[in-house]
Amino acid sequence: MEKKIVIAVDGYSSCGKSTMAKDLAKEIGYTYIDSGAMYRAVTLYCLQNEIIENGVVDEVRLRSAMNQIHISFQMNNESGKPDTYLNGVNVEKEIRGMEVANHVSTIAAIGFVRQAMVEKQQEMGQQKGVVMDGRDIGTVVFPNAELKIFVTASPEVRAQRRYDEMMAKGEPAIFEDVLANVKKRDLIDTTRAESPLCRAEDALELDNSHLSIAEQKAWLLVQFNRVTRE
Ligand code: CDP
Ligand code: CDP
């Protein structure tokens, strides 16, 4: 039997990480874990409970609320992706909106939030057989992951993909706002003090600006077969 491994997919916002991680997991029978959804769920909790007001986070209240924030995933057979649950409520739709997107990188830069999420992510990957996407999976969460991918694409391509996705779902969006959000999150994610987004030394880099979803999946499958059969 092939050995089970951990696959870490990191990269900039909206570059196709979750699409490729989800597609690969399905193909090889692994569990897909969307670490960004966890930071988004914490952000939603903060917005719902006025822990973020006017863009300012009440860190004292958030620290004491951390043990009341329970995040879990449950497979949605229709979308083929796990839905995110916050304290037992399906929040998949709410966490993808612009309000959460506008605040999530601020929440994700807080050290005690990261510690709690990383601990949970490590627990979820303990048995291996997982594909996890995020910003620090190959550097912090699973530094010993057997396969690490770092995905890039130009900000304009990424914003266009996110914009098209929102329009297809019937969500109102303005391209310039989406582009500004992508650039702002990249800046916060790459410059924060706590585990900033960066390519792990042993990660394979993939610029998928001009790759289709099928092409990137095929590329990833080749990498998976190489690592598991060597
Ligand atoms: O899907 P998209 O690339 O837009 O973002 P995401 O993966 O849902 O992540 C949302 C935000 O959470 C990112 O912009 C980061 O600020 C943060 N994040 C993080 O700090 N570390 C991770 N492992 C995953 C996400
Ligand atoms: O997870 P991340 O934020 O990195 O990106 P995603 O949610 O997987 O992908 C963002 C959008 O780009 C989705 O609508 C994908 O279908 C699309 N995409 C694409 O058009 N071409 C690719 N090569 C990869 C993703």
Side-chain angles (χ1 to χ4, degrees), residues 12-15 17 34-37 39-40 96 104-105 108 114 121 133-137 162 185 189 192:
Y12 297 95
S13 130
S14 312
C15 59
K17 301 180 300 297
D34 176 355
S35 71
Y39 292 97
R40 287 173 179 268
R96 305 293 166 193
V104 62
S105 291
R114 300 205 70 79
Q121 290 152 9
D133 79 318
R135 303 292 189 286
D136 59 344
I137 310 306
R162 184 61 85 216
R185 280 198 288 139
D189 293 347
R192 70 185 174 213

Side-chain angles (χ1 to χ4, degrees), residues 86-104:
L86 171 61
N87 294 333
V89 177
N90 186 331
V91 291
E92 192 53 38
K93 188 162 185 283
E94 288 86 337
I95 63 168
R96 305 293 166 193
M98 278 312 277
E99 202 187 2
V100 168
N102 281 332
H103 296 98
V104 62

